[in-house]
């Protein structure tokens, strides 16, 4: 059955938004940097939030907002992952959850493995939790990127106490295989280390690739792991503050139950309401339409770059709406986003912020109208020809 791709909102409406994407730069700049998308909310989310506003339902988040059952239902429908609702806890956002879990599983000064190029807050999060970043870059292959298992093993053998995994990986859009996740879990268990998996882009995985939650990869993964995720990236809810933390087993469940009560209280009521609505079956059709639109855009971007910026290197992601593009062949310096913003008036995310491996790279958000994506790449192309 064919799915009708979701249509992005018109540019004049988007410029009325007050979020970071539409307020950081002036109207002469096309914004493709931060991970916000340009679509109307899923109807069920709009309905729930509108009703809350009508009721003045703007107080404190209740002790049980329904998040755990909604997430468990979503995980079963989308991934065949059976989650015990009692293993699901909530907080304000994914990075809050990661920090609090790391504080439980490491001691100050312990090293935590991260896999650059990776989402910039990973570095700050490890430090906020009292840890020290240990870089084990992704292994580059002909097919894309993969976890460097020998590198992780060496880091853990050398004393690192935890691994902060990005699954699917931001910025490359890599969806890690069940085999690599299971192997990572076995290595972590051998050295008594913990794996914390950020899975916020999981719902945005494109067929035929299958997203494998870390905790569903193997028994060892459940023994060593936590997952932290949210509907916020998929459903564009970052401003509403709600994420879930999932325990792999009894030890992790006890650790999450022992977190300070304030960790749960950081969850916004609108965040909880919207996450429940997003995870409900009523939002599945909208998600299918979103995936159809993003799938078309990730392939369109490849065509546009080949036509207008032919020396760029880009592998369409297996998940997400973020493109990792190597512009180093143009000699625009380690941070080409600076030149692109100044001379083409297109705002891209700065590659070096993702780690040293990001030199010469940019990250492009293609969660937008195809015509807007075309205009942005044409502007960059004009710069490339100049």
């Amino acid at each position: 059955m064919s799915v009708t791709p979701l249509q992005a909102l018109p540019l004049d409406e988007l410029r009325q938004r007050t979020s970071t994407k539409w307020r950081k730069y002036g109207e002469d700049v096309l914004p493709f940097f931060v991970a916000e998308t340009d679509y109307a909310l899923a109807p069920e989310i709009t309905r729930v939030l509108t009703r809350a506003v009508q009721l003045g339902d703007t107080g404190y988040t209740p002790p049980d907002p329904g998040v755990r059952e909604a997430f468990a239902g979503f995980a079963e429908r989308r991934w065949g992952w059976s989650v015990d609702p009692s293993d699901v806890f909530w907080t304000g956002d994914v990075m809050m959850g990661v920090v609090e879990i790391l504080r439980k599983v490491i001691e100050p000064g312990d090293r935590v493995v991260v896999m650059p190029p990776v989402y910039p807050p990973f570095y700050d999060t490890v430090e906020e939790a009292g840890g020290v970043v240990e870089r084990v870059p992704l292994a580059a292959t002909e097919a894309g990127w993969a976890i460097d298992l020998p590198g992780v093993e060496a880091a853990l053998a050398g004393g690192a106490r935890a691994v902060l995994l990005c699954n699917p990986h931001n910025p490359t859009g890599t969806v890690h295989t069940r085999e690599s996740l299971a192997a990572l879990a076995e290595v972590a268990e051998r050295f008594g280390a913990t794996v914390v998996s950020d899975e916020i882009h999981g719902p945005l995985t494109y067929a035929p690739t299958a997203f494998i939650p870390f905790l569903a990869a193997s028994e060892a993964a459940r023994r060593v792991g936590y997952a932290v995720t949210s509907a916020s990236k998929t459903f564009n809810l970052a401003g509403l503050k709600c994420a879930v933390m999932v325990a792999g087993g009894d030890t992790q469940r006890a650790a999450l139950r022992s977190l300070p009560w304030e960790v749960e209280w950081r969850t916004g009521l609108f965040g909880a309401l919207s996450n429940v609505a997003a995870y409900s079956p009523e939002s599945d059709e909208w998600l299918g339409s979103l995936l159809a639109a993003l799938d078309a855009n990730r392939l369109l971007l490849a065509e546009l770059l080949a036509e207008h910026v032919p020396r760029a290197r880009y592998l369409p992601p297996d998940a997400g709406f973020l493109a990792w593009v190597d512009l180093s062949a143009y000699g625009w310096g380690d941070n080409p986003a600076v030149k692109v913003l100044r001379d083409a008036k297109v705002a891209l995310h700065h590659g070096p912020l993702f780690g040293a491996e990001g030199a010469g790279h940019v990250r492009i958000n293609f969660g937008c109208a195809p015509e807007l994506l075309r205009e942005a790449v044409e502007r960059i192309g004009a710069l490339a020809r100049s």
Side-chain angles (χ1 to χ4, degrees):
M1 184 176 67
S2 63
V3 177
T4 302
L6 204 60
Q7 298 296 305
L9 295 172
L11 185 58
D12 61 341
E13 288 188 32
L14 291 168
R15 290 206 181 277
Q16 295 174 46
R17 289 182 172 181
T18 61
S19 59
T20 290
K21 182 173 185 178
W22 300 100
R23 285 294 180 267
K24 182 165 183 175
Y25 300 105
E27 293 196 1
D28 59 332
V29 172
L30 294 179
F32 287 81
F33 63 110
V34 72
E36 299 178 25
T37 53
D38 294 353
Y39 308 96
L41 292 177
E44 180 64 8
I45 297 174
T46 299
R47 185 191 69 79
V48 166
L49 294 179
T50 299
R51 182 60 175 157
V53 170
Q54 290 171 338
L55 291 171
D57 189 11
T58 53
Y60 293 107
T61 306
D64 186 359
V67 171
R68 52 166 57 100
E69 292 82 7
F71 177 76
F74 184 85
E76 184 69 50
R77 290 196 315 279
R78 304 299 296 191
W79 308 312
W81 177 26
S82 296
V83 177
D84 185 336
S86 68
D87 287 337
V88 180
F89 300 77
W90 51 91
T91 189
D93 60 42
V94 166
M95 289 297 101
M96 284 184 191
V98 168
V99 167
E100 297 301 337
I101 292 169
L102 286 177
R103 284 176 174 151
K104 280 290 181 183
V105 302
I106 67 171
E107 298 294 331
D110 282 348
R111 285 174 285 131
V112 177
V113 172
V114 301
M115 303 178 190
V118 73
Y119 184 51
F122 270 35
Y123 304 101
D124 298 333
T125 295
V126 170
E127 294 176 2
E128 184 180 347
V132 176
V133 170
E134 173 129 354
R135 301 170 71 261
V136 179
L138 289 180
T141 70
E142 286 298 319
W145 295 269
I147 297 170
D148 178 3
L149 288 167
V152 174
E153 182 172 12
L156 297 181
R161 302 302 304 142
V163 177
L164 182 49
L165 177 68
C166 199
N167 176 43
H169 197 88
N170 175 4
T172 63
T174 305
V175 175
H176 300 300
T177 65
R178 184 183 300 275
E179 292 74 19
S180 65
L181 295 173
L184 174 63
E186 290 173 8
V187 169
E189 187 169 45
R190 192 184 325 144
F191 291 100
T194 299
V195 177
V196 183
S197 184
D198 171 356
E199 302 189 344
I200 198 167
H201 296 276
L204 293 172
T205 300
Y206 305 106
T209 303
F211 169 65
I212 308 298
F214 178 73
L215 298 180
S218 67
E219 289 296 328
R222 286 185 279 278
R223 289 192 293 268
V224 303
Y226 297 83
V228 191
T229 190
S230 173
S232 63
K233 281 290 186 292
T234 300
F235 293 87
N236 203 40
L237 305 171
L240 297 185
K241 296 302 176 186
C242 178
V244 298
M245 303 171 288
V246 187
D250 294 343
T251 299
Q252 297 95 323
R253 187 186 312 113
L256 292 177
R257 282 178 176 163
S258 70
L259 291 174
W261 63 269
E262 186 63 31
V263 174
E264 180 180 303
W265 273 97
R266 292 171 186 154
T267 307
L269 177 57
F270 277 21
L273 290 171
S274 61
N275 269 247
V276 170
Y279 288 138
S280 72
E282 287 75 15
S283 292
D284 287 350
E285 182 178 351
W286 182 94
L287 177 52
S289 294
L290 173 69
L291 282 167
L294 297 178
D295 192 10
N297 275 0
R298 70 178 178 137
L299 303 179
L300 173 62
L301 179 58
E303 297 173 7
L304 292 171
L305 289 171
E307 179 181 357
H308 299 285
V309 197
R311 295 164 68 189
R313 297 177 60 193
Y314 161 62
L315 182 67
D318 293 324
F321 51 84
L322 305 170
W324 189 234
V325 181
D326 183 356
L327 295 176
S328 56
Y330 287 97
W332 294 343
D334 286 348
N335 192 3
V338 173
K339 181 177 179 63
V340 172
L341 175 61
R342 183 184 66 234
D343 297 340
K345 299 300 181 183
V346 177
L348 308 175
H349 209 319
H350 297 201
L353 293 179
F354 294 81
E357 296 73 15
H361 289 67
V362 295
R363 195 189 73 178
I364 302 175
N365 175 352
F366 56 82
C368 61
E371 55 269 23
L372 200 63
L373 186 61
R374 180 178 297 277
E375 181 177 348
V377 177
E378 286 177 350
R379 288 190 188 187
I380 299 169
L383 183 60
R385 294 189 299 273
S386 62

